[in-house]
Amino acid sequence: MKQMLNQKLLKIRNLKKYYPVTAGLFSRHVGDIKAVAGVTFNISEKEIVGLVGESGCGKSTLGKTILRLEEPTGGEILYKGTDVTKLDQKGLRKLRSEIQIIFQDPDASLDPRMNVGDSICEPMVIQNIGDEKKRMIRVVELMEQVGLETRQANLYPHEFSGGQKQRIGIARALAMNPKLIIADEPVSALDVSIQAQILNLMMDIQERWGLAYLFIAHDLSVVKHMAHRIAVMYLGKIVELADKNEIFDNPLHPYTEALLSAVPSFKSKAKGRILLRGDVPSPLNPPPGCHFHPRCHRVLSICNKVKPKFIELADGHFVSCHLYKR
C-alpha cells in the first residue's frame, strides 16, 4: 500500500452514544445502554483504519454516530477541524458529500422500487449536482469503475447477485467524490468466493481515489488484508490501537490475544486457542473497573476496581490495560 499522509482527516475525542432505558407507567429513566462509551482515535488522509470486535461491541453504532445517523451523547467528532456534533442540517448535508457509508446488507440499503442508475444518481440529485445529462454520464463512469455493465443501469436490485448489489452500494458511495468512507462490515453478508473480489475492488478504489476508510469487521484476517492500523473494540471502548503488523506480532491486551488466537494462521504464535469465559456483559450494566476483567485470562486484583487508562506504550501503540504502566 502507498504510504499515507500524516495530516489528520478525522479526530474522534471521547465519543459517547448512550440509549436511555425507561420502565414503568411513567417511562421513568432507569439506566443507559452505553453502546459507545468514550472512544478516542484519529484517521489520517488516505489511511485505512480497521475496527474489530465481537458482535454487539458498538462498532456499527460508532460508524453511524460519526455520520450523525445516530446522535452522539457526548464527545467531539472533528472532520477537517470542524466539530460535526455542532453542525446544522445544511452543514450535515455538506458533510455527507465528503463522508459516505457502505452498509453491511446491500439488500436493505437499496430501494427495490428504484433502478440501479437512479440509486447511484440519487446522492447527486439530493445535493443538486449537475444536470440530468451530467449525472447519467457520472453514473456510467461509476458503474464501469466498480465492474458493472452500463446496460444494467435500468435493472432493479432483485435482478442482481449479492456481490453485484454491494458494487452498486460502492458506486453510490463514490458518487459525491468523498474523502472518507465508513465501510460497515461490507463483505460479511457475501459468499467467501465473492468477498475477495469486493475487498480487492475497495483497495483499488482507495489507492486510485486517495480515500480514507474506517473499515468495520469482525474477521481479523480480512482487516489485516485491508488496514494500515487496527483498533480493537470491546463493550463500547477501544482497548488497543496500533499498526496492523504490530497488532499481529505484538498484541498487548488480553482481549486482542484471544481474538488473534482464533485466527488459524496465528494459532502457532499464540500457542493455542485462548477461550474466553462467559458471554459479553450487557452494555446496560457493564462490570466495574476494566469491563473485560470477568472474562480475562490475565486478570489482576486491581482490574475489578479501577478503570485502566488508554495510554501510548510505544510509538503509535495504545492499550487500555492494568498489565502495562507508562
Side-chain angles (χ1 to χ4, degrees), residues 47-106:
E47 182 185 22
I48 303 175
V49 174
L51 182 63
V52 300
E54 293 171 282
S55 296
C57 72
K59 305 186 301 296
S60 295
T61 302
L62 174 59
K64 292 174 184 176
T65 305
I66 291 171
L67 262 174
R68 276 186 58 188
L69 297 176
E70 298 281 358
E71 288 296 329
T73 303
E76 292 182 328
I77 307 167
L78 301 174
Y79 177 73
K80 293 182 177 178
T82 300
D83 192 344
V84 173
T85 65
K86 294 180 170 58
L87 292 179
D88 57 15
Q89 287 302 312
K90 183 179 179 181
L92 275 177
R93 177 171 291 190
K94 184 178 185 301
L95 171 80
R96 288 169 183 164
S97 69
E98 297 198 27
I99 306 179
Q100 287 287 310
I101 187 167
I102 300 170
F103 292 100
Q104 176 180 359
D105 184 357

Side-chain angles (χ1 to χ4, degrees), residues 259-271:
L259 289 180
L260 288 172
S261 77
V263 179
S265 61
F266 187 80
K267 281 185 179 178
S268 59
K269 298 179 184 178
K271 298 180 180 179

Side-chain angles (χ1 to χ4, degrees), residues 158-178:
H158 72 271
E159 299 178 85
F160 291 86
S161 67
Q164 288 175 321
K165 290 175 187 175
Q166 199 58 289
R167 290 174 188 269
I168 296 166
I170 293 170
R172 186 174 59 181
L174 294 172
M176 296 305 301
N177 291 308

Side-chain angles (χ1 to χ4, degrees), residues 205-217:
I205 287 172
Q206 188 267 338
E207 292 197 4
R208 194 189 322 161
W209 290 49
L211 298 175
Y213 287 152
L214 175 62
F215 190 88
I216 300 170

Side-chain angles (χ1 to χ4, degrees), residues 184-236:
D184 186 8
E185 304 215 34
V187 298
S188 64
L190 305 177
D191 292 340
V192 174
S193 60
I194 306 299
Q195 288 183 7
Q197 297 177 22
I198 299 299
L199 292 173
N200 289 333
L201 171 64
M202 292 184 67
M203 289 180 66
D204 179 62
I205 287 172
Q206 188 267 338
E207 292 197 4
R208 194 189 322 161
W209 290 49
L211 298 175
Y213 287 152
L214 175 62
F215 190 88
I216 300 170
H218 61 270
D219 188 333
L220 272 161
S221 57
V222 167
V223 173
K224 186 180 182 183
H225 179 68
M226 288 288 295
H228 298 108
R229 290 188 299 148
I230 296 176
V232 181
M233 195 168 182
Y234 184 80
L235 210 62

Side-chain angles (χ1 to χ4, degrees), residues 111-323:
D111 188 335
R113 300 166 297 179
M114 295 177 69
N115 65 41
V116 165
D118 288 342
S119 287
I120 296 172
C121 188
E122 187 179 25
M124 292 180 278
V125 174
I126 292 172
Q127 297 282 357
N128 197 27
I129 303 296
D131 56 26
E132 186 176 354
K133 183 178 179 180
K134 289 181 179 179
R135 290 170 189 160
M136 289 315 299
I137 291 173
R138 178 70 171 153
V139 167
V140 168
E141 291 174 349
L142 290 167
M143 291 186 71
E144 289 175 346
Q145 289 190 29
V146 300
L148 295 170
E149 297 180 22
T150 55
R151 64 177 179 81
Q152 295 175 304
N154 292 321
L155 301 180
Y156 288 82
H158 72 271
E159 299 178 85
F160 291 86
S161 67
Q164 288 175 321
K165 290 175 187 175
Q166 199 58 289
R167 290 174 188 269
I168 296 166
I170 293 170
R172 186 174 59 181
L174 294 172
M176 296 305 301
N177 291 308
K179 298 297 182 185
L180 170 66
I181 290 180
I182 297 170
D184 186 8
E185 304 215 34
V187 298
S188 64
L190 305 177
D191 292 340
V192 174
S193 60
I194 306 299
Q195 288 183 7
Q197 297 177 22
I198 299 299
L199 292 173
N200 289 333
L201 171 64
M202 292 184 67
M203 289 180 66
D204 179 62
I205 287 172
Q206 188 267 338
E207 292 197 4
R208 194 189 322 161
W209 290 49
L211 298 175
Y213 287 152
L214 175 62
F215 190 88
I216 300 170
H218 61 270
D219 188 333
L220 272 161
S221 57
V222 167
V223 173
K224 186 180 182 183
H225 179 68
M226 288 288 295
H228 298 108
R229 290 188 299 148
I230 296 176
V232 181
M233 195 168 182
Y234 184 80
L235 210 62
K237 291 179 174 288
I238 290 179
V239 296
E240 188 164 2
L241 172 65
D243 175 86
K244 67 174 180 181
N245 292 322
E246 181 71 7
I247 286 285
F248 273 77
D249 295 340
N250 184 33
L252 298 179
H253 199 281
Y255 180 60
T256 308
E257 291 179 337
L259 289 180
L260 288 172
S261 77
V263 179
S265 61
F266 187 80
K267 281 185 179 178
S268 59
K269 298 179 184 178
K271 298 180 180 179
R273 180 74 185 271
I274 299 172
L275 297 177
L276 297 178
R277 296 176 290 186
D279 297 321
V280 179
S282 169
L284 177 61
N285 186 28
C290 173
H291 292 347
F292 185 61
H293 84 262
R295 308 176 72 200
C296 184
H297 56 285
R298 300 173 66 186
V299 65
L300 303 174
S301 58
I302 192 176
C303 295
N304 65 351
K305 302 182 184 76
V306 180
K307 291 183 180 180
K309 295 180 180 179
F310 193 58
I311 60 173
E312 185 175 15
L313 280 184
D315 186 22
H317 197 154
F318 297 83
V319 67
S320 175
C321 183
H322 288 301
L323 290 170

